[in-house]
Each structure stands twice: as C-alpha cells, then as structure tokens.
Amino acid sequence: MNDCIFCRIIKGEIPSKKVYEDDLIVAIEDIAPKAPLHLLLIPKQHFSNCLDMQKQHEATVGHVFRIAGKLATERGLSEGGFRLVQNNGEAAGQSVFHLHIHLLAGRELQWPPG
Ligand code: AMP
C-alpha cells in the first residue's frame, strides 16, 4: 500500500535500521525503543492486524515467531526472557496498521502490561 509506512520501509523508500530480511519478513529497530532491544518483525505482505488476517498469512506469522526467537538468541537475550507483543486496534495501542510484532528484551518486563 502506497500510504503505509511499513510497506514503504519494506520497499526501501523510507530508511530503517534493518537487522534481518528474508522472502517473507523484515525485522527493523523500532524508531522509539521501549527496551534496550526493541525490534519490529514485519511481514512483507500488507494486512492490518489479526482481524484482517487471511489463511494465506498463517505461515508467515508462524515464521515471525521462529525468527524472533532466533534474533533474541543471537543477541544473548533469550535466557533473560523476552516479550513478543502485537497490538490490535487503536485502543490497544496500534499506531501502524500493517501487522507487526514487537520484540522487547534487555530489561525487566512488567506483567500485566499497561
Ligand atoms: P504499534 O503502536 O503497535 O502499531 O507499533 C508501531 C511501532 O512502529 C511503534 O513502536 C513506533 O515507534 C514504530 N515506528 C513508527 N515509525 C517507524 C519508523 N519509521 N521506523 C521504525 N519504527 C517505527
């Protein structure tokens, strides 16, 4: 989508700090990190959130989870624990309507989240 900031990042039209890319997803550093490690794992296919998800997206979302574990492990942050977060809708804190999963690590994470 032309007006989607994450689609534009994926196309290289907007700069980002990319830490991982394959055929299905990219992972970038969040521009406003909420933890020492704050990555966004973003499917290359555009869909807004869980409510917009189709059967064809399932494999990609599963792939995101596996790669998130790999990225945390590579950074030595898996043993200390890390969190994956995905917001659905403005009331839940979603500000970019292209599905993405936050990977947060490197500090103590409170539960429940605010
Ligand atoms: P959410 O609020 O769950 O939709 O998450 C959107 C995230 O995207 C926020 O954590 C923002 O800081 C992040 N973000 C917005 N624009 C950019 C950008 N150009 N590069 C990297 N991260 C961004």
Side-chain angles (χ1 to χ4, degrees):
M1 279 177 66
N2 293 339
D3 58 348
C4 168
I5 189 166
F6 286 172
C7 285
R8 295 190 66 199
I9 283 175
I10 289 161
K11 283 192 247 170
E13 294 174 1
I14 294 177
S16 67
K17 290 192 179 162
K18 201 177 285 180
V19 299
Y20 178 86
E21 179 167 18
D22 63 28
D23 289 348
L24 296 175
I25 67 170
V26 297
I28 64 171
E29 291 181 8
D30 197 292
I31 204 166
K34 305 294 187 290
L37 179 68
H38 187 173
L39 302 180
L40 302 172
L41 291 96
I42 310 172
K44 288 185 172 177
Q45 284 183 306
H46 179 97
F47 54 106
S48 305
N49 56 33
C50 286
L51 302 172
D52 190 29
M53 197 175 154
Q54 308 294 315
K55 180 102 184 141
Q56 70 195 42
H57 301 132
E58 286 179 3
T60 302
V61 173
H63 182 65
V64 163
F65 274 73
R66 187 174 68 76
I67 298 300
K70 180 174 142 67
L71 295 175
T73 301
E74 282 173 0
R75 286 158 180 76
L77 292 165
S78 54
E79 283 190 14
F82 61 96
R83 184 168 291 165
L84 303 180
V85 176
Q86 188 261 321
N87 297 319
N88 291 278
E90 273 179 41
Q94 186 172 11
S95 58
V96 178
F97 283 75
H98 176 133
L99 184 133
H100 52 281
I101 294 175
H102 299 255
L103 192 171
L104 298 156
R107 67 167 169 83
E108 195 174 329
L109 297 163
Q110 304 300 317
W111 191 262

